[in-house]
Amino acid sequence: MTGIIAAAGLSLLVSFILMPPLIKILYRFKFGQEIRDDGPQGHKTKQGTPTMGGIVIILGAVIGYFGAHGVTMTPPTVSGVLVLFLFVGLGCVGFLDDFIKIYKRRSLGLRSGAKMLGQVIVGVGFAVGVTMFPNSYTYTPGSTHLSLLRDFGPPMAVWLFVIWALLLIVATSNAVNLTDGLDGLATGATILSLVAYVIIGNWQLRQSCVNALEPNCYTVRDPLDLAVVAAAALGGCIAFLWFNAPPAKIFMGDTGSLALGGLLVGLAITTRTQLLLLVIGGLFVLITASVIIQVGSFRLTGKRVFRMAPLQHHFELKGWAETTIVIRFWIIQGLFVAAAIALFYLEWMPR
């Protein structure tokens, strides 16, 4: 528990310290957000707001994680380092995307093919890595089984698992990216998801098969360290939200959204809760589904279901205030997270 508190606290402190100078630097070099012409007209006032704030979330989380291990005098685990690798790696892909947008003064950065290639390279490294490094109990950071609340079904071939993991990584990182359209929306939703993984990791530690071979024990390799990773990112996100709350002084950019999406997938795979991520990240699923429905409907019928996609912009065009949308969407995400934690706990309870 000391490691969890230390990781969150250090990350929060570091991110709070680094954010104001980063905002000044970005303003000085005019590293501002380019707003799409086809977006809501009210967003034109956000033109030039500094972006790439995800840099501080990443730095805060990494410093918080390794700092917590320094405080507790314990070595980092393979599981924790692999999740951080996915987190930082996708953040680098997002950074390139943001930098190109700023440098070329356009709302589109990396071409979709190049962006996908970057996600695949990082994702393959993570997916292969989690099938390796067994501990003395033969537990690896990840499993080639499907998982909901724990592993189930027969194991997949490693190559098939890598494809499955890539689908999760690309889908979730892009889902968080789509959600990052209003001030504070994606950050607040991610904070709630990370709270779930702090609780899950801590619970899996207390009910680990390493401590007692009980019917409902968990075979997760490093549950406590995964909770530390989640707590470190949580601290960074809370600090960022202070500056990202409406009206935002800085945006996370693709640097932050791709990184945080990757982090959530990394935690889902290593805690054996792959499919539960659909509930833990329920708001991200809804917003992504709105885009799929909108595109599919327009291509098939020539008609739009929503006034604009993603979903948050539909409500903007209906006249909802931005803060109203953000708070109500946070409430929806909170209900999803509460449902996920309830499912996780109820499955564990002895029958």
Side-chain angles (χ1 to χ4, degrees):
M1 195 66 182
T2 302
I4 294 173
I5 296 171
L10 283 170
S11 178
L12 180 69
L13 179 62
V14 168
S15 299
F16 257 119
I17 292 172
L18 293 179
M19 195 65 72
L22 176 66
I23 293 173
K24 290 181 181 179
I25 291 170
L26 293 173
Y27 263 122
R28 183 174 182 180
F29 289 96
K30 298 181 179 180
F31 279 16
Q33 179 73 40
E34 296 294 323
I35 303 299
R36 293 170 50 184
D37 293 331
D38 58 348
Q41 292 304 304
H43 287 205
K44 290 296 183 181
T45 59
K46 301 181 182 184
Q47 180 84 19
T49 301
T51 188
M52 295 195 294
I55 294 171
V56 170
I57 298 176
I58 294 170
L59 286 175
V62 171
I63 293 170
Y65 173 77
F66 287 104
H69 280 285
V71 170
T72 58
M73 292 185 289
T74 56
T77 67
V78 174
S79 299
V81 171
L82 282 170
V83 173
L84 285 179
F85 165 77
L86 183 61
F87 177 53
V88 175
L90 291 182
C92 290
V93 175
F95 176 83
L96 287 174
D97 190 42
D98 287 333
F99 185 80
I100 291 171
K101 290 176 186 176
I102 293 166
Y103 182 76
K104 295 193 174 182
R105 300 296 176 185
R106 67 188 193 192
S107 60
L108 297 175
L110 281 173
R111 295 185 182 278
S112 57
K115 192 172 182 179
M116 179 70 73
L117 178 62
Q119 291 173 305
V120 167
I121 290 171
V122 176
V124 168
F126 170 79
V128 172
V130 296
T131 64
M132 304 167 65
F133 309 106
N135 63 7
S136 57
Y137 297 92
T138 72
Y139 300 161
T140 54
S143 165
T144 56
H145 293 77
L146 288 174
S147 60
L148 175 60
L149 304 168
R150 60 180 76 236
D151 289 343
F152 67 88
M156 292 180 271
V158 173
W159 66 268
L160 184 58
F161 169 75
V162 170
I163 293 173
W164 167 242
L166 283 176
L167 288 173
L168 291 176
I169 290 166
V170 172
T172 308
S173 58
N174 288 329
V176 177
N177 184 248
L178 288 171
T179 305
D180 186 31
L182 300 181
D183 297 351
L185 179 57
T187 313
T190 302
I191 285 170
L192 292 168
S193 297
L194 290 172
V195 168
Y197 278 113
V198 171
I199 294 171
I200 287 171
N202 191 47
W203 186 257
Q204 289 176 332
L205 170 70
R206 297 177 184 277
Q207 312 300 331
S208 173
C209 294
V210 172
N211 300 324
L213 285 172
E214 297 177 352
N216 291 338
C217 65
Y218 298 98
T219 57
V220 175
R221 189 188 192 280
D222 305 296
L224 176 59
D225 208 42
L226 295 172
V228 171
V229 171
L234 177 63
C237 285
I238 290 173
F240 177 76
L241 183 59
W242 182 268
F243 299 92
N244 185 236
K249 294 181 179 179
I250 189 169
F251 300 139
M252 71 168 67
D254 284 13
T255 307
S257 60
L258 295 186
L260 290 172
L263 177 70
L264 293 177
V265 174
L267 291 169
I269 290 173
T270 50
T271 58
R272 315 292 206 268
T273 55
Q274 298 162 17
L275 298 179
L276 187 64
L277 182 59
L278 293 172
V279 185
I280 291 176
L283 180 64
F284 304 126
V285 175
L286 286 179
I287 287 175
T288 303
S290 72
V291 174
I292 295 171
I293 291 169
Q294 185 84 327
V295 172
S297 175
F298 188 77
R299 288 182 177 177
L300 291 173
T301 67
K303 297 180 179 179
R304 293 179 172 86
V305 176
F306 306 103
R307 296 188 181 186
M308 182 176 288
L311 188 61
Q312 61 269 32
H313 299 320
H314 168 77
F315 289 104
E316 275 191 290
L317 295 184
K318 286 190 68 174
W320 288 23
E322 182 171 356
T323 50
T324 301
I325 299 168
V326 170
I327 292 172
R328 287 178 177 173
F329 276 35
W330 282 353
I331 292 171
I332 292 169
Q333 173 65 359
L335 292 173
F336 274 119
V337 168
I341 293 172
L343 284 172
F344 189 83
Y345 177 74
L346 290 172
E347 187 272 343
W348 171 85
M349 287 183 65
R351 292 169 176 80

XYZ file of all heavy atoms in Angstrom, residues 235-326:
695
model
N -2.012 9.784 -10.499
C -1.519 11.041 -9.960
C -1.224 12.048 -11.053
O -1.572 13.236 -10.944
N -0.589 11.578 -12.140
C -0.294 12.472 -13.256
C -1.548 13.013 -13.913
O -1.614 14.191 -14.296
N -2.564 12.166 -14.044
C -3.818 12.598 -14.672
C -4.564 13.611 -13.808
O -5.159 14.565 -14.336
C -4.711 11.382 -14.936
S -4.197 10.373 -16.325
N -4.530 13.424 -12.494
C -5.213 14.373 -11.609
C -4.561 15.749 -11.711
O -5.244 16.778 -11.793
C -5.190 13.860 -10.158
C -6.100 12.626 -10.017
C -5.639 14.944 -9.183
C -6.014 11.933 -8.673
N -3.222 15.772 -11.719
C -2.513 17.048 -11.858
C -2.839 17.689 -13.204
O -3.074 18.903 -13.293
C -1.009 16.827 -11.714
N -2.865 16.877 -14.256
C -3.164 17.414 -15.590
C -4.583 17.969 -15.647
O -4.821 19.015 -16.260
C -2.986 16.319 -16.646
C -3.344 16.763 -18.028
C -2.489 17.577 -18.754
C -4.558 16.401 -18.604
C -2.826 18.020 -20.034
C -4.900 16.830 -19.870
C -4.030 17.644 -20.592
N -5.524 17.286 -14.997
C -6.911 17.737 -15.023
C -7.065 19.123 -14.403
O -7.937 19.899 -14.809
C -7.810 16.732 -14.284
C -9.312 17.018 -14.287
C -9.861 17.088 -15.712
C -10.054 15.950 -13.482
N -6.208 19.452 -13.449
C -6.244 20.781 -12.814
C -6.084 21.878 -13.875
O -6.716 22.930 -13.806
C -5.132 20.879 -11.773
C -5.108 22.183 -11.031
C -4.408 23.312 -11.351
C -5.835 22.487 -9.825
N -4.634 24.297 -10.433
C -5.509 23.822 -9.481
C -6.712 21.766 -9.010
C -6.027 24.447 -8.353
C -7.232 22.390 -7.884
C -6.894 23.709 -7.576
N -5.220 21.619 -14.865
C -4.936 22.595 -15.919
C -5.798 22.371 -17.164
O -5.895 23.254 -18.012
C -3.456 22.525 -16.309
C -2.523 22.831 -15.168
C -2.028 21.810 -14.374
C -2.157 24.137 -14.881
C -1.167 22.083 -13.318
C -1.304 24.416 -13.821
C -0.812 23.393 -13.038
N -6.395 21.177 -17.269
C -7.182 20.827 -18.441
C -8.676 21.068 -18.237
O -9.458 20.993 -19.171
C -6.942 19.351 -18.793
C -7.613 18.901 -20.067
O -8.376 17.948 -20.079
N -7.350 19.595 -21.170
N -9.074 21.407 -16.998
C -10.489 21.658 -16.714
C -10.951 22.889 -17.486
O -10.166 23.809 -17.735
C -10.689 21.865 -15.213
N -12.228 22.925 -17.883
C -12.722 24.043 -18.686
C -12.576 25.392 -17.965
O -12.897 25.468 -16.778
C -14.201 23.702 -18.884
C -14.294 22.233 -18.637
C -13.251 21.920 -17.621
N -12.092 26.433 -18.649
C -11.499 26.402 -19.994
C -10.053 25.918 -19.918
O -9.266 26.414 -19.112
C -11.579 27.867 -20.436
C -11.492 28.650 -19.163
C -12.170 27.814 -18.113
N -9.703 24.968 -20.742
C -8.410 24.304 -20.657
C -7.256 25.263 -20.958
O -7.320 26.058 -21.896
C -8.367 23.136 -21.635
N -6.212 25.155 -20.141
C -4.981 25.900 -20.403
C -4.020 25.085 -21.259
O -3.048 25.623 -21.791
C -4.307 26.281 -19.081
C -5.104 27.257 -18.233
C -4.351 27.609 -16.961
C -5.142 28.616 -16.121
N -4.438 28.959 -14.860
N -4.287 23.780 -21.343
C -3.440 22.891 -22.137
C -4.242 21.644 -22.491
O -5.134 21.238 -21.733
C -2.155 22.512 -21.363
C -1.167 21.764 -22.264
C -2.482 21.723 -20.100
C 0.207 21.596 -21.659
N -3.952 21.059 -23.631
C -4.565 19.792 -24.054
C -3.526 18.678 -23.952
O -2.329 18.925 -24.087
C -5.065 19.884 -25.495
C -6.099 20.949 -25.727
C -6.052 21.734 -26.884
C -7.119 21.183 -24.822
C -7.002 22.723 -27.117
C -8.080 22.165 -25.048
C -8.014 22.939 -26.199
N -4.000 17.457 -23.741
C -3.060 16.336 -23.670
C -2.527 15.937 -25.040
O -1.428 15.409 -25.157
C -3.696 15.123 -22.982
C -4.771 14.406 -23.774
S -5.209 12.798 -23.058
C -5.965 13.272 -21.518
N -3.311 16.204 -26.098
C -2.893 15.831 -27.438
C -2.866 14.319 -27.618
O -3.195 13.549 -26.702
N -2.460 13.901 -28.805
C -2.317 12.466 -29.053
C -1.218 11.870 -28.186
O -1.226 10.681 -27.894
C -1.987 12.214 -30.530
C -3.209 12.372 -31.422
O -4.224 12.906 -30.941
O -3.152 11.981 -32.601
N -0.261 12.695 -27.763
C 0.787 12.234 -26.843
C 0.162 11.597 -25.622
O 0.577 10.527 -25.173
C 1.674 13.412 -26.411
O 2.165 14.095 -27.561
C 2.839 12.932 -25.557
N -0.840 12.253 -25.073
C -1.483 11.734 -23.869
C -2.540 10.699 -24.151
O -2.604 9.665 -23.480
N -3.385 10.934 -25.159
C -4.516 10.027 -25.377
C -4.068 8.644 -25.835
O -4.585 7.629 -25.356
C -5.498 10.635 -26.387
O -4.875 10.870 -27.628
N -3.107 8.577 -26.752
C -2.620 7.265 -27.188
C -1.904 6.548 -26.048
O -2.055 5.337 -25.865
C -1.686 7.402 -28.392
C -2.288 7.916 -29.694
C -1.258 7.846 -30.820
C -3.538 7.142 -30.091
N -1.119 7.300 -25.279
C -0.402 6.697 -24.150
C -1.369 6.136 -23.121
O -1.203 5.003 -22.642
C 0.516 7.734 -23.511
N -2.393 6.899 -22.759
C -3.333 6.452 -21.725
C -4.179 5.281 -22.214
O -4.489 4.368 -21.443
C -4.229 7.618 -21.296
C -3.507 8.718 -20.504
C -4.422 9.915 -20.297
C -2.999 8.188 -19.165
N -4.547 5.300 -23.497
C -5.259 4.146 -24.043
C -4.407 2.893 -23.965
O -4.876 1.821 -23.586
N -3.136 3.020 -24.324
C -2.233 1.883 -24.227
C -2.052 1.410 -22.798
O -1.978 0.202 -22.529
N -1.982 2.353 -21.875
C -1.841 1.998 -20.463
C -3.020 1.159 -19.982
O -2.834 0.140 -19.295
C -1.732 3.275 -19.626
C -1.645 3.072 -18.112
C -0.308 2.452 -17.724
C -1.846 4.396 -17.378
N -4.228 1.563 -20.340
C -5.418 0.820 -19.908
C -5.413 -0.599 -20.469
O -5.743 -1.561 -19.761
C -6.682 1.556 -20.339
C -6.947 2.904 -19.659
C -8.200 3.562 -20.221
C -7.073 2.737 -18.141
N -5.017 -0.751 -21.742
C -4.942 -2.090 -22.326
C -3.857 -2.914 -21.637
O -4.044 -4.097 -21.346
C -4.648 -2.020 -23.834
C -4.435 -3.408 -24.397
C -5.793 -1.362 -24.561
N -2.707 -2.286 -21.391
C -1.630 -2.994 -20.712
C -2.066 -3.517 -19.354
O -1.773 -4.667 -18.980
N -2.789 -2.690 -18.618
C -3.293 -3.124 -17.306
C -4.337 -4.231 -17.457
O -4.374 -5.167 -16.666
C -3.891 -1.925 -16.566
C -2.878 -0.865 -16.095
C -3.602 0.388 -15.611
C -1.989 -1.425 -14.982
N -5.187 -4.131 -18.482
C -6.216 -5.153 -18.694
C -5.590 -6.509 -19.013
O -6.025 -7.545 -18.498
C -7.147 -4.720 -19.828
N -4.561 -6.515 -19.853
C -3.929 -7.774 -20.236
C -3.163 -8.387 -19.069
O -3.240 -9.587 -18.824
C -3.006 -7.551 -21.453
C -3.852 -7.274 -22.702
C -2.100 -8.763 -21.691
C -3.051 -6.881 -23.932
N -2.444 -7.568 -18.329
C -1.612 -8.102 -17.244
C -2.407 -8.435 -15.980
O -1.943 -9.227 -15.160
C -0.484 -7.119 -16.897
O -1.015 -5.809 -16.704
C 0.552 -7.077 -18.018
N -3.597 -7.846 -15.815
C -4.446 -8.225 -14.679
C -5.479 -9.282 -15.060
O -6.330 -9.645 -14.257
C -5.199 -7.004 -14.098
O -5.998 -6.407 -15.131
C -4.241 -5.974 -13.527
N -5.395 -9.769 -16.303
C -6.316 -10.803 -16.804
C -7.763 -10.316 -16.816
O -8.688 -11.024 -16.412
C -6.237 -12.084 -15.959
C -4.840 -12.571 -15.618
C -4.088 -13.061 -16.851
N -3.069 -14.032 -16.502
C -1.797 -13.750 -16.236
N -1.392 -12.485 -16.291
N -0.931 -14.702 -15.941
N -7.956 -9.078 -17.255
C -9.314 -8.502 -17.330
C -9.542 -7.880 -18.712
O -10.096 -6.780 -18.820
C -9.514 -7.428 -16.240
O -8.472 -6.439 -16.356
C -9.478 -8.038 -14.851
N -9.141 -8.592 -19.746
C -9.200 -8.033 -21.100
C -10.608 -7.573 -21.480
O -10.811 -6.428 -21.907
C -8.713 -9.074 -22.101
C -7.274 -9.514 -21.923
C -6.990 -10.822 -22.647
O -7.752 -11.237 -23.526
N -5.909 -11.487 -22.285
N -11.581 -8.458 -21.365
C -12.942 -8.124 -21.796
C -13.652 -7.225 -20.784
O -14.586 -6.498 -21.151
C -13.747 -9.404 -22.032
C -13.203 -10.311 -23.144
C -14.047 -11.569 -23.278
C -13.150 -9.569 -24.479
N -13.215 -7.257 -19.529
C -13.796 -6.354 -18.533
C -13.470 -4.909 -18.873
O -14.183 -3.998 -18.441
C -13.271 -6.695 -17.134
C -13.914 -5.936 -15.963
C -15.398 -6.278 -15.842
C -13.185 -6.226 -14.654
N -12.425 -4.694 -19.658
C -12.065 -3.339 -20.078
C -13.205 -2.677 -20.847
O -13.334 -1.452 -20.838
C -10.801 -3.384 -20.943
C -10.246 -2.035 -21.437
C -9.903 -1.132 -20.256
C -9.024 -2.251 -22.316
N -14.049 -3.479 -21.497
C -15.208 -2.915 -22.198
C -16.157 -2.217 -21.230
O -16.868 -1.275 -21.606
C -15.959 -4.019 -22.946
C -15.225 -4.661 -24.120
C -16.003 -5.872 -24.630
C -15.014 -3.648 -25.239
N -16.178 -2.686 -19.976
C -17.023 -2.057 -18.951
C -16.250 -0.963 -18.232
O -16.755 0.143 -18.021
C -17.537 -3.104 -17.938
C -18.515 -2.463 -16.952
C -18.190 -4.268 -18.661
N -15.000 -1.248 -17.853
C -14.175 -0.248 -17.164
C -14.014 0.997 -18.031
O -14.004 2.119 -17.531
C -12.796 -0.850 -16.804
C -12.956 -1.917 -15.713
C -11.824 0.237 -16.345
C -11.677 -2.643 -15.363
N -13.900 0.813 -19.319
C -13.811 1.942 -20.249
C -15.096 2.132 -21.020
O -15.067 2.455 -22.216
N -16.220 1.965 -20.362
C -17.512 2.002 -21.031
C -17.774 3.271 -21.819
O -18.350 3.233 -22.915
N -17.370 4.419 -21.280
C -17.596 5.680 -21.991
C -16.809 5.714 -23.303
O -17.320 6.175 -24.328
C -17.188 6.866 -21.116
C -17.384 8.246 -21.761
C -18.859 8.520 -22.016
C -16.773 9.341 -20.896
N -15.587 5.205 -23.276
C -14.775 5.160 -24.496
C -15.440 4.273 -25.550
O -15.405 4.573 -26.744
C -13.378 4.623 -24.190
C -12.644 5.382 -23.117
C -12.113 4.738 -22.013
C -12.483 6.754 -23.210
C -11.440 5.434 -21.026
C -11.810 7.470 -22.232
C -11.288 6.807 -21.124
N -16.055 3.182 -25.086
C -16.759 2.282 -26.003
C -17.955 2.983 -26.633
O -18.176 2.899 -27.850
C -17.214 1.009 -25.261
C -18.059 0.117 -26.179
C -16.006 0.222 -24.744
N -18.740 3.695 -25.824
C -19.912 4.402 -26.340
C -19.525 5.446 -27.383
O -20.164 5.558 -28.439
C -20.658 5.094 -25.191
C -21.479 4.208 -24.252
C -22.115 5.072 -23.162
C -22.550 3.453 -25.014
N -18.481 6.203 -27.087
C -18.072 7.261 -28.005
C -17.521 6.678 -29.304
O -17.816 7.177 -30.402
C -17.039 8.179 -27.309
C -17.776 9.036 -26.267
C -16.285 9.049 -28.306
C -16.893 9.912 -25.417
N -16.754 5.597 -29.206
C -16.251 4.940 -30.413
C -17.400 4.345 -31.225
O -17.416 4.444 -32.462
C -15.242 3.836 -30.040
O -14.189 4.410 -29.276
C -14.655 3.188 -31.284
N -18.363 3.747 -30.532
C -19.524 3.175 -31.224
C -20.296 4.248 -31.977
O -20.809 4.001 -33.086
C -20.427 2.480 -30.216
N -20.369 5.461 -31.414
C -21.095 6.540 -32.095
C -20.439 6.890 -33.431
O -21.126 7.191 -34.411
C -21.171 7.784 -31.199
O -19.915 8.431 -31.092
N -19.103 6.828 -33.470
C -18.387 7.111 -34.719
C -18.642 6.000 -35.737
O -18.893 6.263 -36.924
C -16.874 7.260 -34.451
C -16.102 7.415 -35.755
C -16.612 8.453 -33.531
N -18.575 4.756 -35.269
C -18.813 3.614 -36.170
C -20.228 3.669 -36.740
O -20.446 3.461 -37.945
C -18.576 2.294 -35.419
C -17.096 2.163 -35.022
C -18.994 1.097 -36.277
C -16.812 0.998 -34.094
N -21.215 3.959 -35.888
C -22.611 4.044 -36.327
C -22.783 5.184 -37.333
O -23.440 5.030 -38.366
C -23.544 4.248 -35.120
C -23.568 2.983 -34.255
C -24.957 4.618 -35.577
C -24.244 3.164 -32.909
N -22.179 6.334 -37.026
C -22.312 7.491 -37.916
C -21.722 7.217 -39.301
O -22.361 7.473 -40.327
C -21.595 8.692 -37.283
C -21.748 9.993 -38.039
C -23.023 10.717 -37.707
O -24.049 10.107 -37.429
N -22.975 12.031 -37.731
N -20.514 6.672 -39.313
C -19.847 6.384 -40.596
C -20.598 5.297 -41.363
O -20.838 5.407 -42.566
C -18.382 5.973 -40.362
C -17.739 5.489 -41.665
C -17.584 7.136 -39.784
N -20.990 4.227 -40.644
C -21.707 3.130 -41.290
C -23.029 3.568 -41.869
O -23.386 3.205 -43.007
N -23.776 4.363 -41.111
C -25.080 4.835 -41.583
C -24.937 5.734 -42.813
O -25.694 5.614 -43.783
C -25.790 5.595 -40.461
O -26.996 6.160 -40.914
N -23.947 6.615 -42.772
C -23.775 7.543 -43.899
C -23.366 6.812 -45.173
O -23.838 7.129 -46.263
C -22.735 8.607 -43.540
C -22.629 9.701 -44.554
C -23.590 10.702 -44.611
C -21.575 9.731 -45.455
C -23.507 11.710 -45.562
C -21.483 10.736 -46.408
C -22.453 11.730 -46.461
N -22.508 5.809 -45.024
C -22.066 5.069 -46.207
C -23.159 4.176 -46.778
O -23.249 3.990 -47.992
C -20.836 4.227 -45.858
C -19.571 5.061 -45.654
C -18.372 4.198 -45.372
N -17.161 5.013 -45.241
C -15.963 4.523 -44.930
N -15.829 3.217 -44.708
N -14.924 5.321 -44.842
N -24.002 3.643 -45.894
C -25.046 2.725 -46.354
C -26.301 3.447 -46.838
O -26.934 3.029 -47.814
C -25.418 1.754 -45.230
C -24.347 0.715 -44.844
C -24.788 -0.059 -43.618
C -24.080 -0.236 -46.016
N -26.676 4.515 -46.128
C -27.945 5.188 -46.438
C -27.794 6.643 -46.865
O -28.759 7.252 -47.333
C -28.878 5.140 -45.202
O -28.319 5.953 -44.157
C -29.032 3.707 -44.698
N -26.597 7.205 -46.668
C -26.413 8.621 -46.968
C -26.971 9.533 -45.899
O -26.990 10.759 -46.066
N -27.429 8.960 -44.774
C -28.002 9.750 -43.687
C -27.146 9.610 -42.424
O -26.515 8.591 -42.197
C -29.435 9.296 -43.393
C -30.390 9.504 -44.562
C -31.785 9.036 -44.200
C -32.757 9.254 -45.367
N -34.134 8.780 -45.045
N -27.179 10.661 -41.603
C -26.439 10.669 -40.336
C -27.380 10.379 -39.182
O -28.498 10.905 -39.132
C -25.741 12.011 -40.120
C -24.615 12.284 -41.114
C -23.986 13.646 -40.840
N -22.799 13.857 -41.647
C -22.798 14.337 -42.888
N -23.969 14.646 -43.459
N -21.673 14.490 -43.546
N -26.924 9.570 -38.240
C -27.708 9.276 -37.040
C -27.559 10.413 -36.033
O -28.523 10.820 -35.383
C -27.241 7.941 -36.415
C -27.981 7.664 -35.104
C -27.449 6.799 -37.404
N -26.345 10.932 -35.907
C -26.053 12.015 -34.959
C -25.764 13.302 -35.720
O -25.388 13.280 -36.893
C -24.829 11.650 -34.098
C -24.955 10.334 -33.391
C -24.289 9.206 -33.862
C -25.746 10.211 -32.263
C -24.402 7.987 -33.223
C -25.872 9.000 -31.610
C -25.207 7.883 -32.090
N -25.954 14.424 -35.058
C -25.649 15.696 -35.703
C -24.154 15.797 -36.022
O -23.775 16.422 -37.017
C -26.069 16.853 -34.794
C -27.575 16.904 -34.544
C -27.980 18.158 -33.809
N -29.420 18.185 -33.562
C -30.077 19.212 -33.044
N -29.404 20.324 -32.716
N -31.375 19.156 -32.850
N -23.356 15.202 -35.170
C -21.919 15.121 -35.408
C -21.361 14.016 -34.527
O -21.885 13.746 -33.444
C -21.222 16.451 -35.088
C -19.721 16.447 -35.355
S -18.945 18.063 -35.078
C -19.578 18.952 -36.491
N -20.356 13.340 -35.000
C -19.662 12.330 -34.211
C -18.215 12.793 -34.028
O -17.683 13.494 -34.891
C -19.713 10.974 -34.915
N -17.590 12.428 -32.900
C -18.042 11.576 -31.806
C -19.224 12.155 -31.020
O -19.591 13.299 -31.200
C -16.799 11.452 -30.914
C -15.637 11.827 -31.769
C -16.172 12.834 -32.738
N -19.759 11.338 -30.138
C -21.023 11.596 -29.468
C -21.056 12.926 -28.717
O -22.100 13.595 -28.699
C -21.325 10.444 -28.505
C -22.688 10.423 -27.828
C -23.802 10.318 -28.858
C -22.775 9.252 -26.840
N -19.943 13.318 -28.091
C -19.941 14.550 -27.308
C -20.256 15.775 -28.175
O -20.911 16.721 -27.720
C -18.604 14.743 -26.573
C -17.373 14.858 -27.466
C -16.721 13.528 -27.722
O -17.392 12.506 -27.772
N -15.401 13.519 -27.871
N -19.852 15.733 -29.445
C -20.125 16.868 -30.326
C -21.592 16.915 -30.759
O -22.122 17.984 -31.072
C -19.220 16.808 -31.555
C -17.760 16.876 -31.218
N -17.270 17.711 -30.238
C -16.682 16.202 -31.721
C -15.960 17.568 -30.161
N -15.582 16.654 -31.038
N -22.254 15.765 -30.771
C -23.693 15.733 -31.051
C -24.441 16.559 -30.015
O -25.322 17.362 -30.361
C -24.172 14.279 -31.023
C -25.664 14.122 -31.001
N -26.454 14.281 -32.113
C -26.511 13.827 -29.966
C -27.728 14.084 -31.787
N -27.783 13.806 -30.486
N -24.069 16.374 -28.752
C -24.758 17.121 -27.690
C -24.366 18.593 -27.684
O -25.167 19.447 -27.294
C -24.479 16.476 -26.332
C -25.170 15.148 -26.162
C -24.471 13.951 -26.269
C -26.532 15.090 -25.922
C -25.114 12.730 -26.134
C -27.193 13.879 -25.786
C -26.480 12.693 -25.899
N -23.139 18.886 -28.115
C -22.761 20.294 -28.269
C -23.672 20.988 -29.273
O -24.151 22.112 -29.039
C -21.313 20.400 -28.751
C -20.270 20.350 -27.664
C -18.902 20.729 -28.195
O -18.338 19.924 -28.969
O -18.414 21.823 -27.857
N -23.916 20.325 -30.401
C -24.755 20.927 -31.434
C -26.222 20.969 -31.028
O -27.015 21.712 -31.619
C -24.592 20.168 -32.752
C -23.196 20.238 -33.389
C -23.169 19.529 -34.731
C -22.745 21.690 -33.561
N -26.590 20.181 -30.028
C -27.956 20.249 -29.487
C -28.111 21.406 -28.501
O -29.211 21.678 -28.037
C -28.311 18.935 -28.787
C -28.584 17.775 -29.735
C -29.173 16.580 -28.996
C -30.578 16.880 -28.502
N -31.225 15.683 -27.895
N -26.983 22.050 -28.175
C -27.051 23.217 -27.308
C -26.610 22.993 -25.879
O -26.689 23.908 -25.054
N -26.129 21.786 -25.564
C -25.641 21.536 -24.211
C -24.342 22.300 -23.981
O -23.472 22.366 -24.868
C -25.380 20.051 -24.005
C -26.606 19.187 -23.895
C -27.853 19.455 -24.376
C -26.681 17.898 -23.286
N -28.701 18.414 -24.102
C -28.006 17.442 -23.429
C -25.770 17.078 -22.644
C -28.443 16.204 -22.947
C -26.182 15.848 -22.156
C -27.510 15.417 -22.305
N -24.183 22.836 -22.788
C -22.927 23.503 -22.430
C -21.822 22.456 -22.310
O -22.070 21.295 -21.945
C -23.083 24.246 -21.109
N -20.605 22.865 -22.599
C -19.489 21.933 -22.571
C -19.314 21.292 -21.190
O -19.125 20.081 -21.079
C -18.193 22.648 -22.970
C -16.975 21.726 -23.011
C -15.753 22.396 -23.622
O -15.873 23.552 -24.075
O -14.685 21.769 -23.644
N -19.401 22.088 -20.140
C -19.232 21.537 -18.792
C -20.358 20.565 -18.445
O -20.133 19.580 -17.735
C -19.189 22.664 -17.744
O -20.304 23.545 -17.930
C -17.904 23.458 -17.858
N -21.559 20.818 -18.945
C -22.677 19.903 -18.705
C -22.396 18.542 -19.331
O -22.614 17.495 -18.707
C -23.983 20.484 -19.286
O -24.256 21.736 -18.676
C -25.155 19.533 -19.048
N -21.914 18.555 -20.569
C -21.594 17.297 -21.255
C -20.506 16.555 -20.507
O -20.614 15.346 -20.256
C -21.138 17.580 -22.700
C -22.252 18.265 -23.490
C -20.709 16.286 -23.395
C -21.804 18.830 -24.830
N -19.446 17.265 -20.133
C -18.307 16.628 -19.472
C -18.738 15.979 -18.160
O -18.435 14.807 -17.897
C -17.181 17.652 -19.222
C -16.100 17.062 -18.320
C -16.566 18.086 -20.550
